[in-house]
C-alpha cells in the first residue's frame, strides 16, 4: 500500500478544469429566487438523487461525477443520503407507478426552499418508455421541475455544466421566489 | 414447441433433479388465454430449449413447486398476465404494488426488523430490503423489487426490430452492450443471418470493454463498502478511462445502441484501435498494482474473506451464472458453452473457485479483467475488414433465441418476429437468480456487512423489474 500511496502523491492530479458553462447550454434555468435561498445556499448545493425507475444508466454517469476526473465536490456540489439534508431532488427514470409514492415522500421530506432537477431523457420526457402503462413519464407531470438535463444518459461533463450553471443561477438570483412547500 | 401438461411436468422434474438448468419463464396473451414459455438447458450445455404450454382459463402447473429458482418469475408473470400457477409455493404479488404485501416472518425472542428503501442512501437503483435481525446478526433478508417496473417487454410487442433493440439496450444500463448483443443474436438466429466478420469482432471488443468498465467500478465499490475507499478512488479512475476510451472509439461512453440487429452501428478507425492498444497496456500496469494492493491489505481481506458465502449447492440449484456462479463452483460461461461470434474462435479460459464468499467473487472478477484485456488484444490483432452490417430479410414469422455472456452472467433473449415487427420477446437477466442467492448468502452475516455482500453480487434491479 505504501508504494501506491507514494506513487499517488507524485503522479499529479487527475482532476480536470471545470467545463465552460455557456449561454447556449440547453437549460431552462429559473429566473427568480428568494433572498432566503441565496443566503442559505450560497454557492453550495446538497443533492438527493432519486432513481424513479431508470435503467441505471443515468446513475452510472452521476456516480462518475464523484471520480477523480470530475470531483464535483470542488464546486460545492454534493450528494447527500437523506432528502431532509437536500436542497435539490435529482430525479432519473420515467417515473414508474411503483415509485410515485416514494418520490412524493422524498420531496415532502425536503425543507424549503427546494428544487427539482430532472436528469436524462426518461425523467425529462419519459424517453423510450413514454406511453408505458407502468410509467407516469416525465417528472414534471408530478413536480415542478427547475432544470432539465437531457441525454441517454447525459455524460458527466454535461451533468457538471448543468449543475454548475444551476448553482451559479441560484447564487446570483436577484429577486424573490416564493418558496415551495 | 407446443407441449401438453405431462411434458411440462417432466421438464419441471428435470429441473428439480438437476438434470437441466432453469433459464426463464414468461408468457404472452393468446386468444382468451395465455401461452406460457419455459426455457431450460441441459446441465453443462448452453443449448437452450423452449417449451410452450397453453394456459387454459389462465391456469398452468407451477414450475416453482418443483424448482424454487422459478418463484420470482412465476410471481412476475402472474402479475403481468393474471396467470395462476397452480400449487405455487409463493403466490404473493411481485410487480403489482397495489396488492397487499406480507413479508416473510422471522419469529423468536429479540428478533426485530429493519426496513430499507426503496430510496437508498446512495446513488443506486430502487428496491426495498426487509432485514430480520437478532442483535447485529441477520437471520432473514427479503428483497422486494418491482419499483423500476417499466413494462419494457410489453412495450416491445408490435414494435419495429430497431425500436425493440433500443428498448432491449435499456433493460439494464450497465449491461446495455450485452443486452443489445443478446437481442441482436436472437433476431439474427430467427432470420437465419450471419453478421459480417468485422461486425462480430467489434461486438466482442465492445462487450469486453463493458465487462472491464463494470469490473473495475464494482471491485472498487465493494472495497469502499468494506471500509477501504482508496481502492475505489483508484479503480473509479480506471473505469472512467475505459468509458472515455469507449466514447473515443464508438461514440458513446456506455456504447448504447452501438450493437444493432444485423451488425454494428459504429466502425473502429485505425487510430482508435491504436488508442485501445496503448490505453489497455497502461490500464494493465496500473491494475497489476491495485490487485496487489487488494491482496496485501490485511484489513480489507478481513472483511472480504468468509463474508456472504453462497453455498455451491445453492448456486447449482438456482443455476447462478456469471461471477456469482463461478465463485461458487459453477463452471458455465455462455461465451464458451453456448458459442457465438466472435468467441467461437477466441482463446480464453473460464476462471472458477468454490469458496463462494465476497473475496471469491472479487477473485473471479480480477481474473476476468485479465481475460478481457487479452481478448480485446486478440480481437484487434485479427480484426477483419469488410462491411459492418447484414441486411435483415423479410420473413412472415420466425422465432430465435440466444444466450450471451454479459458482465454479470448469461443473458437469455427470445424473439418472435412477424412481417418485420417484434410480435413477442423475452430478455432474462442473470440477477433473477442472484437475488434469491443473496438472500441465502447473507444469513448469519452482520447488518454492517450487507452493502459489501450486496455489492459483490451486484444484482440488477431494472433488469428484473422489466
Amino acid at each position: 500500500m505504501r508504494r501506491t500511496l507514494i506513487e499517488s502523491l507524485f503522479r499529479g492530479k487527475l482532476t480536470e478544469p471545470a467545463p465552460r458553462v455557456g449561454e447556449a447550454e440547453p437549460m431552462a434555468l429559473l429566473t427568480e429566487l428568494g433572498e432566503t435561498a441565496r443566503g442559505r445556499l450560497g454557492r453550495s448545493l446538497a443533492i438527493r438523487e432519486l432513481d424513479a425507475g431508470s435503467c441505471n444508466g443515468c446513475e452510472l454517469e452521476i456516480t462518475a461525477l464523484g471520480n477523480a476526473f470530475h470531483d464535483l465536490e470542488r464546486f460545492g456540489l454534493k450528494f447527500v443520503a437523506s432528502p431532509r439534508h437536500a436542497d435539490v431532488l435529482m430525479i432519473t427514470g420515467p417515473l414508474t407507478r411503483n415509485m410515485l409514492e416514494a418520490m412524493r415522500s422524498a420531496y415532502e421530506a425536503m425543507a424549503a426552499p427546494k428544487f427539482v432537477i430532472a436528469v436524462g431523457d426518461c425523467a425529462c420526457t419519459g424517453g423510450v418508455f413514454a406511453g408505458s402503462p407502468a410509467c407516469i413519464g416525465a417528472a414534471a407531470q408530478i413536480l415542478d421541475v427547475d432544470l432539465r438535463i437531457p441525454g441517454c444518459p447525459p455524460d458527466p461533463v454535461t451533468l457538471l455544466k448543468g449543475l454548475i450553471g444551476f448553482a451559479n443561477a441560484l447564487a446570483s438570483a436577484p429577486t424573490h421566489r416564493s418558496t415551495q412547500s | 414447441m407446443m407441449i401438453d401438461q405431462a411434458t411440462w411436468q417432466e421438464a419441471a422434474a428435470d429441473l428439480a433433479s438437476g438434470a437441466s438448468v432453469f433459464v426463464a419463464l414468461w408468457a404472452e396473451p393468446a386468444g382468451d388465454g395465455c401461452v406460457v414459455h419455459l426455457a431450460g438447458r441441459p446441465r453443462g450445455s448452453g443449448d437452450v430449449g423452449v417449451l410452450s404450454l397453453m394456459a387454459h382459463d389462465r391456469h398452468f402447473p407451477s414450475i416453482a413447486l418443483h424448482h424454487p429458482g422459478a418463484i420470482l418469475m412465476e410471481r412476475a408473470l402472474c402479475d403481468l398476465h393474471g396467470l395462476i400457477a397452480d400449487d405455487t409455493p409463493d403466490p404473493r404479488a411481485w410487480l403489482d404494488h397495489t396488492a397487499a404485501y406480507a413479508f416473510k416472518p422471522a419469529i423468536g425472542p429479540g428478533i426485530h426488523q429493519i426496513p430499507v428503501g426503496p430510496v437508498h442512501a446512495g446513488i443506486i437503483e430502487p428496491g426495498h430490503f426487509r432485514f430480520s435481525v437478532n442483535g447485529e446478526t441477520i437471520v432473514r433478508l427479503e428483497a422486494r423489487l418491482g419499483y423500476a417496473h417499466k413494462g419494457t417487454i410489453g412495450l416491445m410487442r408490435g414494435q419495429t426490430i430497431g425500436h425493440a433493440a433500443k428498448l432491449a439496450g435499456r433493460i439494464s444500463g450497465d449491461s446495455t452492450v450485452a443486452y443489445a448483443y443478446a437481442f441482436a443474436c436472437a433476431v439474427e438466429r430467427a432470420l437465419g443471418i450471419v453478421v459480417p466478420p468485422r461486425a462480430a469482432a467489434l461486438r466482442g471488443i465492445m462487450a469486453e470493454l463493458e465487462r472491464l468498465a463494470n469490473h473495475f467500478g464494482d471491485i472498487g465499490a465493494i472495497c469502499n463498502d468494506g471500509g477501504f475507499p482508496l481502492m475505489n478512488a483508484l479503480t473509479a479512475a480506471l473505469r472512467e478511462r475505459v468509458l472515455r476510451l469507449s466514447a473515443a472509439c464508438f461514440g458513446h461512453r456506455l456504447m448504447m445502441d452501438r450493437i444493432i440487429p444485423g451488425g454494428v452501428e459504429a466502425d473502429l478507425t485505425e487510430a482508435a484501435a491504436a488508442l485501445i492498444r496503448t490505453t489497455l497496456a497502461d490500464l494493465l500496469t496500473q491494475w497489476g498494482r491495485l490487485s496487489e494492493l487488494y491482496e496485501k491489505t490485511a484489513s480489507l481481506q478481513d472483511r472480504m474473506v468468509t463474508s456472504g458465502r453462497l453455498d455451491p449447492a445453492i448456486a447449482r440449484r438456482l443455476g447462478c451464472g456469471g461471477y456469482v456462479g463461478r465463485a461458487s463452483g459453477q463452471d458455465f460461461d455462455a461465451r464458451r458453452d453456448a458459442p457465438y461470434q466472435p468467441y467461437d474462435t477466441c482463446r480464453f479460459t473460464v476462471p472458477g473457485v468454490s469458496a463462494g464468499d465476497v473475496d471469491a467473487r472479487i477473485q473471479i472478477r480480477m481474473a476476468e479483467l485479465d481475460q478481457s484485456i487479452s481478448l480485446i488484444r486478440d480481437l484487434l490483432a485479427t480484426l477483419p475488414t469488410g462491411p459492418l452490417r447484414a441486411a435483415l430479410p423479410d420473413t412472415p414469422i420466425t422465432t430465435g433465441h440466444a444466450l450471451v455472456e454479459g458482465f454479470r452472467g448469461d443473458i437469455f433473449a427470445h424473439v418472435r418476429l412477424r412481417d418485420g415487427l417484434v410480435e413477442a420477446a423475452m430478455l432474462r437477466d442473470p440477477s433473477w437468480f442472484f437475488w434469491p442467492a443473496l438472500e441465502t448468502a447473507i444469513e448469519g452475516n452482520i447488518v454492517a456487512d450487507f452493502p459489501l455482500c450486496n455489492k459483490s453480487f451486484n444484482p440488477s434491479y431494472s433488469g428484473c423489474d422489466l
Side-chain angles (χ1 to χ4, degrees):
Chain A
M1 179 170 7
R2 199 186 305 143
R3 195 173 71 178
T4 306
L5 289 172
I6 292 171
E7 279 177 2
S8 299
L9 275 179
F10 294 106
R11 192 193 296 149
K13 286 193 297 185
L14 292 175
T15 310
E16 296 165 332
R20 285 169 58 99
V21 182
E23 286 174 13
E25 294 304 324
M27 292 181 294
L29 288 177
L30 36 151
T31 51
E32 294 186 3
L33 279 170
E35 295 279 335
T36 357
R38 195 172 144 192
R40 189 182 300 178
L41 304 175
R43 185 60 176 69
S44 110
L45 275 184
I47 306 165
R48 173 60 251 178
E49 200 271 342
L50 189 138
D51 179 336
S54 88
C55 74
N56 199 32
C58 288
E59 276 62 34
L60 294 172
E61 294 297 58
I62 292 168
T63 303
L65 287 175
N67 70 32
F69 288 87
H70 305 112
D71 186 25
L72 86 166
E73 294 211 9
R74 71 194 149 129
F75 305 113
L77 308 167
K78 65 172 178 178
F79 287 95
V80 293
S82 166
R84 295 188 197 285
H85 304 156
D87 310 306
V88 168
L89 191 63
M90 176 187 278
I91 297 169
T92 63
L95 184 54
T96 62
R97 298 202 174 271
N98 288 346
M99 274 306 285
L100 176 59
E101 191 187 326
M103 187 183 84
R104 279 202 171 119
S105 305
Y107 183 73
E108 279 162 18
M110 293 166 70
K114 52 190 174 184
F115 308 96
V116 176
I117 297 181
V119 163
D121 288 349
C122 290
C124 290
T125 65
V128 291
F129 301 104
S132 166
C135 301
I136 288 157
Q141 303 246 2
I142 305 295
L143 300 177
D144 288 336
V145 171
D146 299 287
L147 172 68
R148 291 178 180 81
I149 306 178
C152 188
D155 61 73
V157 172
T158 304
L159 286 166
L160 268 185
K161 283 180 181 171
L163 292 173
I164 294 170
F166 187 77
N168 288 343
L170 277 182
S172 59
T175 51
H176 285 273
R177 181 198 201 221
S178 60
T179 56
Q180 297 166 15
S181 59
Chain B
M1 181 170 61
M2 287 303 284
I3 54 156
D4 57 13
Q5 292 217 352
T7 316
W8 183 264
Q9 300 284 18
E10 279 169 30
D14 283 347
L15 293 172
S17 72
S20 58
V21 180
F22 177 65
V23 172
L25 187 66
W26 72 103
E28 59 180 295
D32 56 352
C34 265
V35 175
V36 187
H37 304 286
L38 170 66
R41 59 178 175 84
R43 188 165 292 281
S45 155
D47 190 11
V48 177
V50 177
L51 301 176
S52 305
L53 177 73
M54 187 65 205
H56 295 290
D57 302 325
R58 299 200 176 253
H59 281 259
F60 71 98
S62 168
I63 293 294
L65 177 65
H66 310 281
H67 177 68
I71 287 178
L72 293 184
M73 288 202 154
E74 217 159 73
R75 290 170 64 185
L77 74 86
C78 292
D79 282 358
L80 289 172
H81 300 282
L83 281 165
I84 295 161
D86 293 327
D87 304 318
T88 182
D90 191 346
R92 292 175 300 164
W94 179 244
L95 297 173
D96 179 6
H97 283 209
T98 62
Y101 197 84
F103 285 93
K104 289 181 183 168
I107 299 161
I111 292 180
H112 58 286
Q113 291 192 344
I114 306 174
V116 177
V119 180
H120 299 292
I123 303 171
I124 62 167
E125 299 182 82
H128 182 91
F129 297 108
R130 187 62 60 94
F131 298 95
S132 296
V133 297
N134 190 347
E136 269 286 271
T137 308
I138 298 167
V139 296
R140 170 170 248 177
L141 162 68
E142 187 178 346
R144 190 189 183 199
L145 305 185
Y147 293 94
H149 167 52
K150 297 182 269 293
T152 314
I153 297 294
L155 286 176
M156 285 185 180
R157 287 194 207 112
Q159 294 293 338
T160 61
I161 293 169
H163 186 73
K166 273 193 179 345
L167 284 163
R170 284 157 182 80
I171 284 182
S172 185
D174 52 20
S175 303
T176 182
V177 171
Y179 267 100
Y181 204 157
F183 183 81
C185 286
V187 168
E188 287 146 15
R189 282 178 200 168
L191 298 176
I193 58 171
V194 177
V195 301
R198 185 172 179 84
L202 293 179
R203 284 177 171 188
I205 292 169
M206 289 187 222
E208 297 310 317
L209 284 173
E210 180 175 84
R211 202 181 316 276
L212 270 183
N214 283 310
H215 281 347
F216 277 138
D218 283 359
I219 290 171
I222 298 166
C223 294
N224 197 50
D225 286 338
F228 197 71
L230 173 65
M231 189 78 174
N232 192 33
L234 297 168
T235 56
L238 299 187
R239 174 185 162 83
E240 177 70 21
R241 292 191 56 194
V242 177
L243 297 187
R244 289 179 177 204
L245 180 64
S246 304
C249 297
F250 298 108
H252 191 286
R253 284 163 56 90
L254 304 179
M255 296 170 284
M256 247 169 199
D257 306 327
R258 276 8 187 211
I259 292 182
I260 52 168
V264 294
E265 191 65 76
D267 199 5
L268 187 72
T269 63
E270 195 42 57
L275 182 66
I276 296 181
R277 283 191 202 96
T278 53
T279 309
L280 286 187
D282 189 30
L283 289 177
L284 199 55
T285 310
Q286 292 191 36
W287 169 243
R289 288 170 193 173
L290 291 186
S291 58
E292 191 187 335
L293 177 64
Y294 173 81
E295 300 282 358
K296 288 187 174 171
T297 304
S299 61
L300 195 52
Q301 292 290 313
D302 184 51
R303 294 292 300 279
M304 304 295 166
V305 178
T306 74
S307 296
R309 183 172 178 275
L310 175 65
D311 187 328
I314 293 173
R316 177 184 158 92
R317 185 117 201 250
L318 288 171
C320 288
Y323 48 76
V324 170
R326 294 193 280 272
S328 287
Q330 307 309 300
D331 183 27
F332 183 79
D333 186 318
R335 293 174 294 175
R336 182 196 63 193
D337 300 313
Y340 51 98
Q341 288 182 296
Y343 299 103
D344 49 355
T345 54
C346 286
R347 283 188 320 149
F348 63 101
T349 56
V350 177
V353 292
S354 56
D357 54 6
V358 174
D359 175 62
R361 288 184 282 279
I362 289 188
Q363 298 288 350
I364 295 292
R365 285 175 179 249
M366 296 203 304
E368 289 182 11
L369 274 171
D370 293 334
Q371 289 281 334
S372 290
I373 290 176
S374 112
L375 274 166
I376 297 171
R377 284 177 163 170
D378 288 353
L379 287 167
L380 281 176
T382 57
L383 191 62
T385 53
L388 299 175
R389 241 180 267 183
L392 305 182
D394 281 333
T395 46
I397 179 160
T398 50
T399 64
H401 59 250
L403 213 51
V404 159
E405 191 75 12
F407 91 97
R408 277 193 185 88
D410 48 294
I411 291 170
F412 171 71
H414 181 274
V415 291
R416 192 173 64 249
L417 309 172
R418 187 190 286 269
D419 302 326
L421 297 178
V422 175
E423 191 170 64
M426 173 63 186
L427 290 141
R428 194 275 287 135
D429 198 87
S431 308
W432 283 99
F433 313 131
F434 290 7
W435 286 112
L438 172 63
E439 288 177 351
T440 74
I442 201 65
E443 266 181 44
N445 287 258
I446 61 172
V447 177
D449 274 348
F450 176 71
L452 147 82
C453 296
N454 182 28
K455 192 70 198 178
S456 76
F457 282 83
N458 191 16
S460 168
Y461 299 67
S462 181
C464 297
D465 289 349
L466 293 180

